[in-house]
Amino acid sequence: MSELRTTALHDRHEALGGSFTDFGGWLMPVRYSSDLAEHHAVRTAAGLFDISHMAEFAVEGAGAAAFLDYALAGAISPMRVGKAKYSLVLAESGGIVDDVIVYRIAEHRFLVIANAGNRDAVATAFAARIGAFDVEVDDHTDGMALMAVQGPASRDIVEATDVVTDVTPALADLGYYAWASGTFDGEPLFVARTGYTGEDGYELLVPNRAAGALWDALLAAGEPLGLVPAGLAARDTLRLEAGMPLYGHELSLDIVPAQAGLGRVVAVDKEDFVGKSGLAAVVASDAPVLVGLVSEGRRAGRAGYAVFDGADAATPAGEITSGALSPTLGHPIAMAFVSPSLSEPGTLLFIDVRGTRIPATVTALPFYRRNS
């Protein structure tokens, strides 16, 4: 078994008393204090996450936009410089290799951020798709640190970090799914208004050599505003409440985008892209689709738990992919793949929670939306 990797902020996490877990081959903080405290801090003030395990690919060249149009499911060429876009890397079959965010840095330069556990899969897919495109793809993951400030106080915190300077455009003018450039203590700084929590916030990318100082500066600026360091456990319940998929749970090579509610991400009118022929095949009418489930009480369905269409049904009608007792809403929530015939909101299903059938109602995603 290979040794787990650590980020440039690992010593900070240890000093803060973080508990660690293996995530995508990285030793990452799962919590510092309590899952609930960190979750509520993000919903009410702000949380600071180390997400340096994510993979960063620079895509550059005269053919960069055309290459990404072919390599990804979305329409990348129409993107404006300064904007970001959620997209998918598909297999020839139409199954999902990974979900990514693409940032247009310049006319012929893009940044693609992929999931940690899929770094090699995305690198392999990009290498196989370059062909005759005039493009270079470079993996910058090992030299970069990425952290996220998420929550209603996030803008005030980043603006109060006095060694963050020359941010252009100013955060007050930065739209959602857009990015700005700046400097931090003389180092290049990339600030994106993106996140994975359902709250407003920013993701900040700097060279590893500046990571520790930026983390410290953000904590210092945020302490008076309620900022706390937050780990993977809070990040998971936050993204679940926001109905955001997690690769390996809601997304996989065995799932096509439409099943996961991501059909809108695919630019089906593009002339060609990897996965187009696979998606053109007729999807079985009974192929499971992703739904939200809500129930009462305190017993939550977890990933892998069976879903039934009756209290006494013998054969499962689906399976939970992610589930938890929602810290914000106060009742159990879950995402599950079920038969399309059972996917209508209001449908009553049952989750097998350790031998007990718990009633659960199908609901539209997301479970939670921020007020503004």
Side-chain angles (χ1 to χ4, degrees):
M1 181 177 178
S2 59
E3 185 176 350
L4 296 178
R5 303 188 63 190
T6 57
T7 75
L9 295 169
H10 185 74
D11 61 337
R12 261 64 174 187
H13 305 321
E14 287 186 323
L16 289 166
S19 301
F20 296 90
T21 190
D22 176 0
F23 190 84
W26 293 75
L27 188 63
M28 298 298 296
V30 66
R31 70 183 58 81
Y32 302 88
S33 56
S34 80
D35 303 350
L36 284 176
E38 293 168 19
H39 180 109
H40 288 309
V42 174
R43 289 279 182 253
T44 60
L48 177 61
F49 300 85
D50 178 11
I51 53 173
S52 303
H53 57 311
M54 304 289 281
E56 291 88 32
F57 296 93
V59 181
E60 188 167 10
F67 164 73
L68 289 173
D69 278 340
Y70 175 70
L72 302 179
I76 306 304
S77 294
M79 286 180 65
R80 290 185 287 114
V81 173
K83 299 298 288 183
K85 189 170 190 174
Y86 179 82
S87 196
L88 300 167
V89 183
L90 300 181
E92 291 284 0
S93 65
I96 300 170
V97 175
D98 198 18
D99 60 338
V100 300
I101 296 182
V102 183
Y103 303 86
R104 190 160 202 166
I105 308 302
E107 182 180 0
H108 302 305
R109 186 163 186 251
F110 297 80
L111 171 67
V112 179
I113 297 186
N115 287 296
N118 289 331
R119 176 184 177 182
D120 290 345
V122 171
T124 299
F126 280 174
R129 298 171 191 190
I130 288 177
F133 289 105
D134 181 9
V135 67
E136 290 186 2
V137 179
D138 295 312
D139 187 340
H140 289 179
T141 308
D142 292 340
M144 305 301 293
L146 185 63
M147 54 202 83
V149 182
Q150 299 283 296
S154 56
R155 183 177 135 196
D156 291 339
I157 290 165
V158 177
E159 288 180 333
T161 306
D162 55 10
V163 281
V164 171
T165 59
D166 304 322
V167 176
T168 306
L171 295 189
D173 300 321
L174 190 66
Y176 189 52
Y177 262 63
W179 63 269
S181 61
T183 59
F184 169 73
D185 203 19
E187 297 287 353
L189 172 69
F190 177 88
V191 183
R193 193 177 172 192
T194 48
Y196 191 54
T197 63
E199 295 297 335
D200 200 0
Y202 302 90
E203 296 179 325
L204 298 91
L205 185 69
V206 292
N208 277 339
R209 59 184 174 272
L214 179 57
W215 176 271
D216 295 344
L218 289 167
L219 281 180
E223 185 178 10
L225 298 174
L227 176 75
V228 303
L232 291 177
R235 188 169 161 87
D236 191 50
T237 50
L238 289 160
R239 69 91 192 169
L240 173 57
E241 289 181 346
M244 294 177 167
L246 175 64
Y247 197 89
H249 290 249
E250 290 74 42
L251 308 178
S252 74
L253 286 170
D254 298 323
I255 297 295
V256 299
Q259 289 178 267
L262 296 175
R264 68 190 184 281
V265 177
V266 182
V268 293
D269 56 345
K270 288 193 300 183
E271 182 176 349
D272 192 23
F273 62 92
V274 177
K276 183 172 185 176
S277 59
L279 294 177
V282 177
V283 178
S285 60
D286 62 348
V289 294
L290 189 68
V291 300
L293 294 174
V294 296
S295 52
E296 297 179 353
R298 310 291 290 177
R299 302 185 68 184
R302 306 289 181 176
Y305 286 15
V307 177
F308 295 85
D309 63 358
D312 300 314
T315 304
E319 183 177 295
I320 300 291
T321 54
S322 299
L325 178 61
S326 167
T328 303
L329 305 175
H331 58 72
I333 60 174
M335 289 193 281
F337 278 104
V338 301
S339 168
S341 64
L342 302 173
S343 64
E344 188 68 24
T347 301
L348 179 64
L349 300 175
F350 294 84
I351 303 171
D352 189 319
V353 180
R354 298 180 181 177
T356 301
R357 299 283 175 93
I358 304 295
T361 304
V362 174
T363 188
L365 295 170
F367 304 102
Y368 165 88
R369 291 184 190 272
R370 68 178 185 269
N371 292 327
S372 58

